[in-house]
mmCIF file of all heavy atoms in Angstrom:
data_model
loop_
_atom_site.group_PDB
_atom_site.id
_atom_site.type_symbol
_atom_site.label_atom_id
_atom_site.label_comp_id
_atom_site.label_asym_id
_atom_site.label_seq_id
_atom_site.Cartn_x
_atom_site.Cartn_y
_atom_site.Cartn_z
ATOM 1 N N ALA A 1195 -106.444 218.156 -202.136
ATOM 2 C CA ALA A 1195 -105.660 218.496 -203.314
ATOM 3 C C ALA A 1195 -105.637 217.304 -204.251
ATOM 4 O O ALA A 1195 -105.449 216.170 -203.820
ATOM 5 C CB ALA A 1195 -104.231 218.862 -202.899
ATOM 6 N N VAL A 1196 -105.846 217.571 -205.528
ATOM 7 C CA VAL A 1196 -105.761 216.537 -206.549
ATOM 8 C C VAL A 1196 -104.310 216.478 -206.998
ATOM 9 O O VAL A 1196 -103.754 217.481 -207.456
ATOM 10 C CB VAL A 1196 -106.696 216.855 -207.733
ATOM 11 C CG1 VAL A 1196 -106.542 215.820 -208.827
ATOM 12 C CG2 VAL A 1196 -108.137 216.939 -207.252
ATOM 13 N N SER A 1197 -103.674 215.305 -206.828
ATOM 14 C CA SER A 1197 -102.251 215.164 -207.153
ATOM 15 C C SER A 1197 -101.976 215.523 -208.605
ATOM 16 O O SER A 1197 -102.738 215.177 -209.495
ATOM 17 C CB SER A 1197 -101.786 213.738 -206.882
ATOM 18 O OG SER A 1197 -101.845 213.477 -205.510
ATOM 19 N N GLY A 1198 -100.881 216.230 -208.788
ATOM 20 C CA GLY A 1198 -100.441 216.598 -210.128
ATOM 21 C C GLY A 1198 -101.120 217.827 -210.690
ATOM 22 O O GLY A 1198 -100.873 218.201 -211.825
ATOM 23 N N THR A 1199 -101.992 218.469 -209.904
ATOM 24 C CA THR A 1199 -102.654 219.684 -210.375
ATOM 25 C C THR A 1199 -102.676 220.703 -209.239
ATOM 26 O O THR A 1199 -102.549 220.345 -208.074
ATOM 27 C CB THR A 1199 -104.124 219.421 -210.799
ATOM 28 O OG1 THR A 1199 -104.906 219.206 -209.627
ATOM 29 C CG2 THR A 1199 -104.243 218.242 -211.744
ATOM 30 N N PRO A 1200 -102.859 221.968 -209.585
ATOM 31 C CA PRO A 1200 -102.998 222.975 -208.534
ATOM 32 C C PRO A 1200 -104.420 223.021 -207.965
ATOM 33 O O PRO A 1200 -104.708 223.818 -207.081
ATOM 34 C CB PRO A 1200 -102.660 224.286 -209.256
ATOM 35 C CG PRO A 1200 -103.019 224.024 -210.678
ATOM 36 C CD PRO A 1200 -102.775 222.561 -210.912
ATOM 37 N N GLU A 1201 -105.303 222.159 -208.481
ATOM 38 C CA GLU A 1201 -106.706 222.160 -208.068
ATOM 39 C C GLU A 1201 -106.863 221.855 -206.586
ATOM 40 O O GLU A 1201 -106.224 220.965 -206.048
ATOM 41 C CB GLU A 1201 -107.503 221.135 -208.876
ATOM 42 C CG GLU A 1201 -107.559 221.423 -210.354
ATOM 43 C CD GLU A 1201 -108.337 222.692 -210.663
ATOM 44 O OE1 GLU A 1201 -109.391 222.933 -210.035
ATOM 45 O OE2 GLU A 1201 -107.860 223.458 -211.517
ATOM 46 N N ARG A 1202 -107.758 222.582 -205.954
ATOM 47 C CA ARG A 1202 -108.132 222.336 -204.559
ATOM 48 C C ARG A 1202 -109.639 222.178 -204.512
ATOM 49 O O ARG A 1202 -110.370 222.923 -205.149
ATOM 50 C CB ARG A 1202 -107.726 223.499 -203.658
ATOM 51 C CG ARG A 1202 -106.234 223.773 -203.648
ATOM 52 C CD ARG A 1202 -105.591 222.947 -202.583
ATOM 53 N NE ARG A 1202 -104.242 223.412 -202.330
ATOM 54 C CZ ARG A 1202 -103.220 222.617 -202.223
ATOM 55 N NH1 ARG A 1202 -103.369 221.328 -202.367
ATOM 56 N NH2 ARG A 1202 -102.019 223.089 -201.975
ATOM 57 N N GLN A 1203 -110.099 221.215 -203.738
ATOM 58 C CA GLN A 1203 -111.518 220.968 -203.554
ATOM 59 C C GLN A 1203 -111.831 221.141 -202.070
ATOM 60 O O GLN A 1203 -110.941 221.067 -201.237
ATOM 61 C CB GLN A 1203 -111.872 219.542 -204.002
ATOM 62 C CG GLN A 1203 -111.491 219.217 -205.424
ATOM 63 C CD GLN A 1203 -112.308 219.973 -206.452
ATOM 64 O OE1 GLN A 1203 -113.493 220.217 -206.247
ATOM 65 N NE2 GLN A 1203 -111.683 220.355 -207.545
ATOM 66 N N ASN A 1204 -113.086 221.336 -201.749
ATOM 67 C CA ASN A 1204 -113.516 221.461 -200.355
ATOM 68 C C ASN A 1204 -114.706 220.529 -200.106
ATOM 69 O O ASN A 1204 -115.807 220.976 -199.804
ATOM 70 C CB ASN A 1204 -113.886 222.917 -200.054
ATOM 71 C CG ASN A 1204 -114.098 223.147 -198.585
ATOM 72 O OD1 ASN A 1204 -113.590 222.420 -197.739
ATOM 73 N ND2 ASN A 1204 -114.883 224.160 -198.257
ATOM 74 N N PRO A 1205 -114.490 219.204 -200.234
ATOM 75 C CA PRO A 1205 -115.600 218.262 -200.082
ATOM 76 C C PRO A 1205 -115.855 217.898 -198.627
ATOM 77 O O PRO A 1205 -115.043 218.195 -197.747
ATOM 78 C CB PRO A 1205 -115.087 217.030 -200.834
ATOM 79 C CG PRO A 1205 -113.621 217.057 -200.531
ATOM 80 C CD PRO A 1205 -113.247 218.521 -200.568
ATOM 81 N N LEU A 1206 -116.972 217.215 -198.404
ATOM 82 C CA LEU A 1206 -117.154 216.532 -197.131
ATOM 83 C C LEU A 1206 -116.185 215.369 -197.126
ATOM 84 O O LEU A 1206 -115.948 214.741 -198.159
ATOM 85 C CB LEU A 1206 -118.576 215.989 -197.001
ATOM 86 C CG LEU A 1206 -119.705 217.006 -196.948
ATOM 87 C CD1 LEU A 1206 -121.045 216.288 -196.900
ATOM 88 C CD2 LEU A 1206 -119.551 217.925 -195.761
ATOM 89 N N VAL A 1207 -115.602 215.071 -195.992
ATOM 90 C CA VAL A 1207 -114.718 213.921 -195.861
ATOM 91 C C VAL A 1207 -115.278 213.046 -194.746
ATOM 92 O O VAL A 1207 -115.372 213.478 -193.602
ATOM 93 C CB VAL A 1207 -113.261 214.343 -195.551
ATOM 94 C CG1 VAL A 1207 -112.380 213.124 -195.360
ATOM 95 C CG2 VAL A 1207 -112.721 215.226 -196.676
ATOM 96 N N LEU A 1208 -115.680 211.832 -195.113
ATOM 97 C CA LEU A 1208 -116.234 210.885 -194.152
ATOM 98 C C LEU A 1208 -115.279 209.718 -194.014
ATOM 99 O O LEU A 1208 -114.790 209.184 -195.016
ATOM 100 C CB LEU A 1208 -117.590 210.367 -194.624
ATOM 101 C CG LEU A 1208 -118.707 211.394 -194.748
ATOM 102 C CD1 LEU A 1208 -119.945 210.756 -195.361
ATOM 103 C CD2 LEU A 1208 -119.043 211.986 -193.394
ATOM 104 N N THR A 1209 -115.012 209.330 -192.789
ATOM 105 C CA THR A 1209 -114.183 208.165 -192.525
ATOM 106 C C THR A 1209 -115.136 207.011 -192.229
ATOM 107 O O THR A 1209 -115.969 207.105 -191.331
ATOM 108 C CB THR A 1209 -113.241 208.425 -191.336
ATOM 109 O OG1 THR A 1209 -112.476 209.591 -191.631
ATOM 110 C CG2 THR A 1209 -112.314 207.246 -191.122
ATOM 111 N N VAL A 1210 -115.014 205.942 -193.025
ATOM 112 C CA VAL A 1210 -115.966 204.838 -192.953
ATOM 113 C C VAL A 1210 -115.233 203.506 -192.857
ATOM 114 O O VAL A 1210 -114.051 203.401 -193.179
ATOM 115 C CB VAL A 1210 -116.907 204.838 -194.174
ATOM 116 C CG1 VAL A 1210 -117.689 206.144 -194.254
ATOM 117 C CG2 VAL A 1210 -116.161 204.588 -195.468
ATOM 118 N N GLY A 1211 -115.971 202.490 -192.439
ATOM 119 C CA GLY A 1211 -115.417 201.150 -192.330
ATOM 120 C C GLY A 1211 -115.717 200.316 -193.565
ATOM 121 O O GLY A 1211 -116.500 200.712 -194.430
ATOM 122 N N PRO A 1212 -115.094 199.139 -193.638
ATOM 123 C CA PRO A 1212 -115.392 198.215 -194.734
ATOM 124 C C PRO A 1212 -116.882 197.886 -194.753
ATOM 125 O O PRO A 1212 -117.530 197.814 -193.714
ATOM 126 C CB PRO A 1212 -114.574 196.971 -194.390
ATOM 127 C CG PRO A 1212 -113.489 197.468 -193.499
ATOM 128 C CD PRO A 1212 -114.090 198.607 -192.724
ATOM 129 N N GLY A 1213 -117.425 197.723 -195.940
ATOM 130 C CA GLY A 1213 -118.831 197.382 -196.079
ATOM 131 C C GLY A 1213 -119.780 198.561 -195.961
ATOM 132 O O GLY A 1213 -120.994 198.382 -195.974
ATOM 133 N N PHE A 1214 -119.264 199.766 -195.884
ATOM 134 C CA PHE A 1214 -120.090 200.950 -195.702
ATOM 135 C C PHE A 1214 -121.118 201.104 -196.826
ATOM 136 O O PHE A 1214 -122.306 201.316 -196.580
ATOM 137 C CB PHE A 1214 -119.209 202.200 -195.618
ATOM 138 C CG PHE A 1214 -119.965 203.486 -195.473
ATOM 139 C CD1 PHE A 1214 -120.453 203.883 -194.243
ATOM 140 C CD2 PHE A 1214 -120.194 204.298 -196.573
ATOM 141 C CE1 PHE A 1214 -121.150 205.071 -194.099
ATOM 142 C CE2 PHE A 1214 -120.892 205.489 -196.437
ATOM 143 C CZ PHE A 1214 -121.370 205.874 -195.207
ATOM 144 N N PHE A 1215 -120.678 200.994 -198.067
ATOM 145 C CA PHE A 1215 -121.572 201.216 -199.205
ATOM 146 C C PHE A 1215 -122.604 200.092 -199.325
ATOM 147 O O PHE A 1215 -123.756 200.348 -199.632
ATOM 148 C CB PHE A 1215 -120.764 201.392 -200.491
ATOM 149 C CG PHE A 1215 -119.871 202.598 -200.413
ATOM 150 C CD1 PHE A 1215 -118.553 202.471 -200.017
ATOM 151 C CD2 PHE A 1215 -120.355 203.859 -200.681
ATOM 152 C CE1 PHE A 1215 -117.726 203.574 -199.896
ATOM 153 C CE2 PHE A 1215 -119.549 204.971 -200.570
ATOM 154 C CZ PHE A 1215 -118.232 204.840 -200.170
ATOM 155 N N THR A 1216 -122.184 198.877 -199.045
ATOM 156 C CA THR A 1216 -123.118 197.753 -199.036
ATOM 157 C C THR A 1216 -124.156 197.946 -197.944
ATOM 158 O O THR A 1216 -125.355 197.778 -198.167
ATOM 159 C CB THR A 1216 -122.359 196.428 -198.818
ATOM 160 O OG1 THR A 1216 -121.448 196.247 -199.892
ATOM 161 C CG2 THR A 1216 -123.298 195.254 -198.729
ATOM 162 N N THR A 1217 -123.709 198.301 -196.752
ATOM 163 C CA THR A 1217 -124.607 198.463 -195.611
ATOM 164 C C THR A 1217 -125.634 199.553 -195.861
ATOM 165 O O THR A 1217 -126.815 199.386 -195.557
ATOM 166 C CB THR A 1217 -123.799 198.770 -194.333
ATOM 167 O OG1 THR A 1217 -122.876 197.702 -194.109
ATOM 168 C CG2 THR A 1217 -124.698 198.920 -193.121
ATOM 169 N N LEU A 1218 -125.211 200.674 -196.409
ATOM 170 C CA LEU A 1218 -126.134 201.777 -196.653
ATOM 171 C C LEU A 1218 -126.801 201.704 -198.016
ATOM 172 O O LEU A 1218 -127.561 202.586 -198.373
ATOM 173 C CB LEU A 1218 -125.420 203.116 -196.478
ATOM 174 C CG LEU A 1218 -125.381 203.459 -195.005
ATOM 175 C CD1 LEU A 1218 -124.021 203.216 -194.425
ATOM 176 C CD2 LEU A 1218 -125.857 204.842 -194.774
ATOM 177 N N GLN A 1219 -126.501 200.675 -198.768
ATOM 178 C CA GLN A 1219 -127.063 200.465 -200.096
ATOM 179 C C GLN A 1219 -126.815 201.663 -201.006
ATOM 180 O O GLN A 1219 -127.702 202.136 -201.719
ATOM 181 C CB GLN A 1219 -128.544 200.117 -200.009
ATOM 182 C CG GLN A 1219 -128.795 198.839 -199.243
ATOM 183 C CD GLN A 1219 -130.253 198.472 -199.134
ATOM 184 O OE1 GLN A 1219 -131.123 199.097 -199.712
ATOM 185 N NE2 GLN A 1219 -130.519 197.414 -198.389
ATOM 186 N N ILE A 1220 -125.572 202.152 -200.964
ATOM 187 C CA ILE A 1220 -125.132 203.219 -201.855
ATOM 188 C C ILE A 1220 -124.402 202.532 -203.008
ATOM 189 O O ILE A 1220 -123.331 201.953 -202.803
ATOM 190 C CB ILE A 1220 -124.196 204.216 -201.141
ATOM 191 C CG1 ILE A 1220 -124.923 204.877 -199.964
ATOM 192 C CG2 ILE A 1220 -123.683 205.259 -202.123
ATOM 193 C CD1 ILE A 1220 -124.020 205.727 -199.074
ATOM 194 N N PRO A 1221 -124.965 202.562 -204.214
ATOM 195 C CA PRO A 1221 -124.334 201.858 -205.333
ATOM 196 C C PRO A 1221 -122.984 202.453 -205.732
ATOM 197 O O PRO A 1221 -122.788 203.667 -205.672
ATOM 198 C CB PRO A 1221 -125.338 202.019 -206.478
ATOM 199 C CG PRO A 1221 -126.626 202.391 -205.823
ATOM 200 C CD PRO A 1221 -126.258 203.125 -204.573
ATOM 201 N N LEU A 1222 -122.089 201.575 -206.137
ATOM 202 C CA LEU A 1222 -120.825 202.006 -206.722
ATOM 203 C C LEU A 1222 -120.998 202.015 -208.242
ATOM 204 O O LEU A 1222 -121.500 201.058 -208.825
ATOM 205 C CB LEU A 1222 -119.690 201.068 -206.336
ATOM 206 C CG LEU A 1222 -119.267 201.122 -204.875
ATOM 207 C CD1 LEU A 1222 -118.101 200.172 -204.635
ATOM 208 C CD2 LEU A 1222 -118.879 202.518 -204.460
ATOM 209 N N LEU A 1223 -120.559 203.096 -208.859
ATOM 210 C CA LEU A 1223 -120.662 203.234 -210.311
ATOM 211 C C LEU A 1223 -119.420 202.699 -211.013
ATOM 212 O O LEU A 1223 -119.499 202.223 -212.133
ATOM 213 C CB LEU A 1223 -120.847 204.704 -210.677
ATOM 214 C CG LEU A 1223 -122.080 205.367 -210.073
ATOM 215 C CD1 LEU A 1223 -122.062 206.854 -210.336
ATOM 216 C CD2 LEU A 1223 -123.334 204.718 -210.636
ATOM 217 N N ARG A 1224 -118.290 202.823 -210.332
ATOM 218 C CA ARG A 1224 -117.006 202.370 -210.864
ATOM 219 C C ARG A 1224 -116.161 201.851 -209.721
ATOM 220 O O ARG A 1224 -116.278 202.298 -208.593
ATOM 221 C CB ARG A 1224 -116.231 203.518 -211.513
ATOM 222 C CG ARG A 1224 -116.822 204.072 -212.747
ATOM 223 C CD ARG A 1224 -115.920 205.157 -213.282
ATOM 224 N NE ARG A 1224 -116.377 205.548 -214.601
ATOM 225 C CZ ARG A 1224 -115.804 206.459 -215.332
ATOM 226 N NH1 ARG A 1224 -114.742 207.092 -214.883
ATOM 227 N NH2 ARG A 1224 -116.278 206.752 -216.516
ATOM 228 N N GLY A 1225 -115.277 200.937 -210.041
ATOM 229 C CA GLY A 1225 -114.302 200.488 -209.066
ATOM 230 C C GLY A 1225 -114.892 199.581 -208.009
ATOM 231 O O GLY A 1225 -115.814 198.818 -208.264
ATOM 232 N N ARG A 1226 -114.356 199.728 -206.806
ATOM 233 C CA ARG A 1226 -114.694 198.807 -205.728
ATOM 234 C C ARG A 1226 -114.864 199.548 -204.414
ATOM 235 O O ARG A 1226 -114.470 200.699 -204.257
ATOM 236 C CB ARG A 1226 -113.600 197.754 -205.580
ATOM 237 C CG ARG A 1226 -112.256 198.358 -205.123
ATOM 238 C CD ARG A 1226 -111.208 197.287 -204.908
ATOM 239 N NE ARG A 1226 -109.927 197.828 -204.520
ATOM 240 C CZ ARG A 1226 -109.562 198.131 -203.281
ATOM 241 N NH1 ARG A 1226 -110.403 197.978 -202.273
ATOM 242 N NH2 ARG A 1226 -108.359 198.599 -203.035
ATOM 243 N N GLU A 1227 -115.412 198.816 -203.464
ATOM 244 C CA GLU A 1227 -115.555 199.310 -202.100
ATOM 245 C C GLU A 1227 -114.245 199.062 -201.344
ATOM 246 O O GLU A 1227 -113.493 198.152 -201.677
ATOM 247 C CB GLU A 1227 -116.707 198.556 -201.431
ATOM 248 C CG GLU A 1227 -117.069 199.068 -200.085
ATOM 249 C CD GLU A 1227 -118.447 198.597 -199.630
ATOM 250 O OE1 GLU A 1227 -119.163 197.939 -200.387
ATOM 251 O OE2 GLU A 1227 -118.786 198.924 -198.489
ATOM 252 N N MET A 1228 -113.984 199.849 -200.338
ATOM 253 C CA MET A 1228 -112.825 199.614 -199.485
ATOM 254 C C MET A 1228 -113.105 198.380 -198.639
ATOM 255 O O MET A 1228 -114.241 198.150 -198.225
ATOM 256 C CB MET A 1228 -112.569 200.839 -198.607
ATOM 257 C CG MET A 1228 -112.233 202.071 -199.427
ATOM 258 S SD MET A 1228 -112.218 203.591 -198.470
ATOM 259 C CE MET A 1228 -113.973 203.916 -198.280
ATOM 260 N N ASP A 1229 -112.064 197.588 -198.361
ATOM 261 C CA ASP A 1229 -112.285 196.371 -197.580
ATOM 262 C C ASP A 1229 -111.162 196.172 -196.568
ATOM 263 O O ASP A 1229 -110.288 197.022 -196.414
ATOM 264 C CB ASP A 1229 -112.444 195.152 -198.493
ATOM 265 C CG ASP A 1229 -111.228 194.884 -199.361
ATOM 266 O OD1 ASP A 1229 -110.084 195.195 -198.951
ATOM 267 O OD2 ASP A 1229 -111.409 194.336 -200.458
ATOM 268 N N ASP A 1230 -111.183 195.029 -195.878
ATOM 269 C CA ASP A 1230 -110.203 194.752 -194.828
ATOM 270 C C ASP A 1230 -108.782 194.596 -195.358
ATOM 271 O O ASP A 1230 -107.830 194.665 -194.593
ATOM 272 C CB ASP A 1230 -110.600 193.500 -194.041
ATOM 273 C CG ASP A 1230 -111.757 193.765 -193.087
ATOM 274 O OD1 ASP A 1230 -111.843 194.900 -192.565
ATOM 275 O OD2 ASP A 1230 -112.568 192.858 -192.879
ATOM 276 N N HIS A 1231 -108.634 194.379 -196.652
ATOM 277 C CA HIS A 1231 -107.292 194.235 -197.218
ATOM 278 C C HIS A 1231 -106.591 195.583 -197.383
ATOM 279 O O HIS A 1231 -105.375 195.644 -197.506
ATOM 280 C CB HIS A 1231 -107.353 193.515 -198.561
ATOM 281 C CG HIS A 1231 -107.808 192.094 -198.417
ATOM 282 N ND1 HIS A 1231 -109.114 191.715 -198.629
ATOM 283 C CD2 HIS A 1231 -107.142 190.982 -198.042
ATOM 284 C CE1 HIS A 1231 -109.230 190.422 -198.415
ATOM 285 N NE2 HIS A 1231 -108.055 189.949 -198.043
ATOM 286 N N ASP A 1232 -107.349 196.651 -197.415
ATOM 287 C CA ASP A 1232 -106.774 197.988 -197.534
ATOM 288 C C ASP A 1232 -106.235 198.413 -196.178
ATOM 289 O O ASP A 1232 -106.946 198.395 -195.187
ATOM 290 C CB ASP A 1232 -107.831 198.992 -198.009
ATOM 291 C CG ASP A 1232 -108.333 198.684 -199.402
ATOM 292 O OD1 ASP A 1232 -107.491 198.504 -200.297
ATOM 293 O OD2 ASP A 1232 -109.561 198.626 -199.580
ATOM 294 N N ARG A 1233 -104.991 198.777 -196.143
ATOM 295 C CA ARG A 1233 -104.332 199.217 -194.912
ATOM 296 C C ARG A 1233 -104.023 200.707 -195.045
ATOM 297 O O ARG A 1233 -103.132 201.082 -195.805
ATOM 298 C CB ARG A 1233 -103.032 198.457 -194.676
ATOM 299 C CG ARG A 1233 -103.200 196.957 -194.633
ATOM 300 C CD ARG A 1233 -103.724 196.551 -193.283
ATOM 301 N NE ARG A 1233 -103.767 195.104 -193.202
ATOM 302 C CZ ARG A 1233 -104.799 194.447 -192.717
ATOM 303 N NH1 ARG A 1233 -105.840 195.099 -192.282
ATOM 304 N NH2 ARG A 1233 -104.791 193.140 -192.664
ATOM 305 N N PRO A 1234 -104.765 201.558 -194.328
ATOM 306 C CA PRO A 1234 -104.565 202.997 -194.481
ATOM 307 C C PRO A 1234 -103.126 203.456 -194.268
ATOM 308 O O PRO A 1234 -102.692 204.426 -194.873
ATOM 309 C CB PRO A 1234 -105.494 203.601 -193.423
ATOM 310 C CG PRO A 1234 -106.560 202.581 -193.259
ATOM 311 C CD PRO A 1234 -105.854 201.252 -193.423
ATOM 312 N N SER A 1235 -102.374 202.753 -193.421
ATOM 313 C CA SER A 1235 -100.997 203.180 -193.182
ATOM 314 C C SER A 1235 -100.064 202.771 -194.330
ATOM 315 O O SER A 1235 -99.009 203.365 -194.498
ATOM 316 C CB SER A 1235 -100.487 202.585 -191.872
ATOM 317 O OG SER A 1235 -100.536 201.169 -191.938
ATOM 318 N N LEU A 1236 -100.450 201.765 -195.126
ATOM 319 C CA LEU A 1236 -99.607 201.293 -196.230
ATOM 320 C C LEU A 1236 -100.102 201.750 -197.588
ATOM 321 O O LEU A 1236 -99.327 202.197 -198.422
ATOM 322 C CB LEU A 1236 -99.527 199.760 -196.209
ATOM 323 C CG LEU A 1236 -98.929 199.142 -194.956
ATOM 324 C CD1 LEU A 1236 -99.016 197.621 -195.032
ATOM 325 C CD2 LEU A 1236 -97.479 199.576 -194.796
ATOM 326 N N ASN A 1237 -101.370 201.567 -197.845
ATOM 327 C CA ASN A 1237 -101.944 201.943 -199.136
ATOM 328 C C ASN A 1237 -103.276 202.651 -198.913
ATOM 329 O O ASN A 1237 -104.332 202.066 -199.049
ATOM 330 C CB ASN A 1237 -102.118 200.714 -200.039
ATOM 331 C CG ASN A 1237 -103.016 199.651 -199.408
ATOM 332 O OD1 ASN A 1237 -103.054 199.500 -198.192
ATOM 333 N ND2 ASN A 1237 -103.743 198.923 -200.223
ATOM 334 N N PRO A 1238 -103.225 203.944 -198.551
ATOM 335 C CA PRO A 1238 -104.457 204.670 -198.285
ATOM 336 C C PRO A 1238 -105.337 204.737 -199.532
ATOM 337 O O PRO A 1238 -104.841 205.041 -200.623
ATOM 338 C CB PRO A 1238 -104.000 206.064 -197.867
ATOM 339 C CG PRO A 1238 -102.526 206.036 -197.804
ATOM 340 C CD PRO A 1238 -102.044 204.763 -198.394
#
């Protein structure tokens, strides 16, 4: 669910570790990669 809208999506959901995009050489177009500073229990 996209917050603030009634929209629902049905994407693939992959759970990955830090460095995933670098390791697989998947370029980021915007923003940043998830890293060790991100704590899923505090700031998903």
Side-chain angles (χ1 to χ4, degrees):
V1196 177
S1197 294
T1199 73
E1201 297 294 319
R1202 300 271 194 226
Q1203 304 291 325
N1204 190 24
L1206 295 177
V1207 177
L1208 296 174
T1209 304
V1210 301
F1214 178 80
F1215 298 95
T1216 299
T1217 302
L1218 278 104
Q1219 299 180 6
I1220 299 172
L1222 290 182
L1223 301 172
R1224 293 182 171 180
R1226 65 177 178 85
E1227 187 163 356
M1228 297 170 283
D1229 60 30
D1230 285 327
H1231 294 98
D1232 296 309
R1233 304 281 185 225
S1235 60
L1236 299 176
N1237 59 329

